[in-house]
PDB file of all heavy atoms in Angstrom:
ATOM      1  N   ALA A  36      70.134 104.566 141.044  1.00 88.00           N
ATOM      2  CA  ALA A  36      70.874 105.822 140.932  1.00 88.00           C
ATOM      3  C   ALA A  36      70.057 106.985 141.472  1.00 88.00           C
ATOM      4  O   ALA A  36      70.588 107.873 142.155  1.00 88.00           O
ATOM      5  CB  ALA A  36      71.238 106.075 139.471  1.00 88.00           C
ATOM      6  N   GLY A  37      68.764 106.992 141.170  1.00 85.00           N
ATOM      7  CA  GLY A  37      67.893 108.038 141.689  1.00 85.00           C
ATOM      8  C   GLY A  37      67.800 108.020 143.207  1.00 85.00           C
ATOM      9  O   GLY A  37      67.803 109.074 143.851  1.00 85.00           O
ATOM     10  N   VAL A  38      67.732 106.824 143.764  1.00 85.00           N
ATOM     11  CA  VAL A  38      67.698 106.691 145.228  1.00 85.00           C
ATOM     12  C   VAL A  38      68.965 107.283 145.833  1.00 85.00           C
ATOM     13  O   VAL A  38      68.916 108.085 146.778  1.00 85.00           O
ATOM     14  CB  VAL A  38      67.536 105.209 145.634  1.00 85.00           C
ATOM     15  CG1 VAL A  38      67.748 105.043 147.136  1.00 85.00           C
ATOM     16  CG2 VAL A  38      66.158 104.694 145.250  1.00 85.00           C
ATOM     17  N   ALA A  39      70.124 106.880 145.299  1.00 90.00           N
ATOM     18  CA  ALA A  39      71.396 107.367 145.847  1.00 90.00           C
ATOM     19  C   ALA A  39      71.521 108.879 145.706  1.00 90.00           C
ATOM     20  O   ALA A  39      71.925 109.573 146.643  1.00 90.00           O
ATOM     21  CB  ALA A  39      72.561 106.671 145.137  1.00 90.00           C
ATOM     22  N   ALA A  40      71.152 109.408 144.536  1.00 88.00           N
ATOM     23  CA  ALA A  40      71.331 110.838 144.278  1.00 88.00           C
ATOM     24  C   ALA A  40      70.500 111.688 145.222  1.00 88.00           C
ATOM     25  O   ALA A  40      71.000 112.638 145.831  1.00 88.00           O
ATOM     26  CB  ALA A  40      70.969 111.146 142.822  1.00 88.00           C
ATOM     27  N   PHE A  41      69.221 111.366 145.368  1.00 84.00           N
ATOM     28  CA  PHE A  41      68.363 112.194 146.214  1.00 84.00           C
ATOM     29  C   PHE A  41      68.645 111.970 147.695  1.00 84.00           C
ATOM     30  O   PHE A  41      68.516 112.892 148.500  1.00 84.00           O
ATOM     31  CB  PHE A  41      66.890 111.926 145.893  1.00 84.00           C
ATOM     32  CG  PHE A  41      66.233 113.045 145.140  1.00 84.00           C
ATOM     33  CD1 PHE A  41      66.830 113.585 144.023  1.00 84.00           C
ATOM     34  CD2 PHE A  41      65.019 113.569 145.552  1.00 84.00           C
ATOM     35  CE1 PHE A  41      66.243 114.613 143.316  1.00 84.00           C
ATOM     36  CE2 PHE A  41      64.414 114.605 144.871  1.00 84.00           C
ATOM     37  CZ  PHE A  41      65.029 115.133 143.744  1.00 84.00           C
ATOM     38  N   ALA A  42      69.027 110.747 148.066  1.00 87.00           N
ATOM     39  CA  ALA A  42      69.375 110.509 149.466  1.00 87.00           C
ATOM     40  C   ALA A  42      70.582 111.350 149.865  1.00 87.00           C
ATOM     41  O   ALA A  42      70.626 111.939 150.957  1.00 87.00           O
ATOM     42  CB  ALA A  42      69.653 109.021 149.699  1.00 87.00           C
ATOM     43  N   LEU A  43      71.581 111.428 148.974  1.00 92.00           N
ATOM     44  CA  LEU A  43      72.772 112.225 149.256  1.00 92.00           C
ATOM     45  C   LEU A  43      72.482 113.723 149.175  1.00 92.00           C
ATOM     46  O   LEU A  43      72.883 114.493 150.051  1.00 92.00           O
ATOM     47  CB  LEU A  43      73.882 111.877 148.265  1.00 92.00           C
ATOM     48  CG  LEU A  43      74.559 110.514 148.437  1.00 92.00           C
ATOM     49  CD1 LEU A  43      75.462 110.222 147.248  1.00 92.00           C
ATOM     50  CD2 LEU A  43      75.361 110.460 149.734  1.00 92.00           C
ATOM     51  N   LEU A  44      71.788 114.130 148.118  1.00 90.00           N
ATOM     52  CA  LEU A  44      71.586 115.552 147.878  1.00 90.00           C
ATOM     53  C   LEU A  44      70.826 116.230 149.007  1.00 90.00           C
ATOM     54  O   LEU A  44      71.136 117.360 149.389  1.00 90.00           O
ATOM     55  CB  LEU A  44      70.851 115.752 146.554  1.00 90.00           C
ATOM     56  CG  LEU A  44      70.738 117.185 146.053  1.00 90.00           C
ATOM     57  CD1 LEU A  44      72.116 117.788 145.798  1.00 90.00           C
ATOM     58  CD2 LEU A  44      69.902 117.229 144.780  1.00 90.00           C
ATOM     59  N   TYR A  45      69.841 115.533 149.551  1.00 85.00           N
ATOM     60  CA  TYR A  45      69.002 116.136 150.589  1.00 85.00           C
ATOM     61  C   TYR A  45      69.223 115.492 151.962  1.00 85.00           C
ATOM     62  O   TYR A  45      68.342 115.511 152.807  1.00 85.00           O
ATOM     63  CB  TYR A  45      67.526 116.042 150.181  1.00 85.00           C
ATOM     64  CG  TYR A  45      67.222 116.904 148.992  1.00 85.00           C
ATOM     65  CD1 TYR A  45      67.115 116.353 147.720  1.00 85.00           C
ATOM     66  CD2 TYR A  45      67.086 118.282 149.126  1.00 85.00           C
ATOM     67  CE1 TYR A  45      66.865 117.154 146.617  1.00 85.00           C
ATOM     68  CE2 TYR A  45      66.834 119.090 148.031  1.00 85.00           C
ATOM     69  CZ  TYR A  45      66.722 118.515 146.785  1.00 85.00           C
ATOM     70  OH  TYR A  45      66.477 119.321 145.695  1.00 85.00           O
ATOM     71  N   SER A  46      70.407 114.937 152.163  1.00 88.00           N
ATOM     72  CA  SER A  46      70.674 114.205 153.403  1.00 88.00           C
ATOM     73  C   SER A  46      70.583 115.078 154.649  1.00 88.00           C
ATOM     74  O   SER A  46      70.275 114.583 155.733  1.00 88.00           O
ATOM     75  CB  SER A  46      72.060 113.545 153.339  1.00 88.00           C
ATOM     76  OG  SER A  46      73.072 114.519 153.101  1.00 88.00           O
ATOM     77  N   THR A  47      70.842 116.376 154.528  1.00 90.00           N
ATOM     78  CA  THR A  47      70.792 117.236 155.723  1.00 90.00           C
ATOM     79  C   THR A  47      69.425 117.871 155.943  1.00 90.00           C
ATOM     80  O   THR A  47      69.207 118.501 156.976  1.00 90.00           O
ATOM     81  CB  THR A  47      71.843 118.366 155.622  1.00 90.00           C
ATOM     82  OG1 THR A  47      71.552 119.175 154.484  1.00 90.00           O
ATOM     83  CG2 THR A  47      73.244 117.802 155.512  1.00 90.00           C
TER      84      THR A  47
END
Side-chain angles (χ1 to χ4, degrees):
V38 170
F41 253 49
L43 288 170
L44 189 62
Y45 292 101
S46 57
T47 61

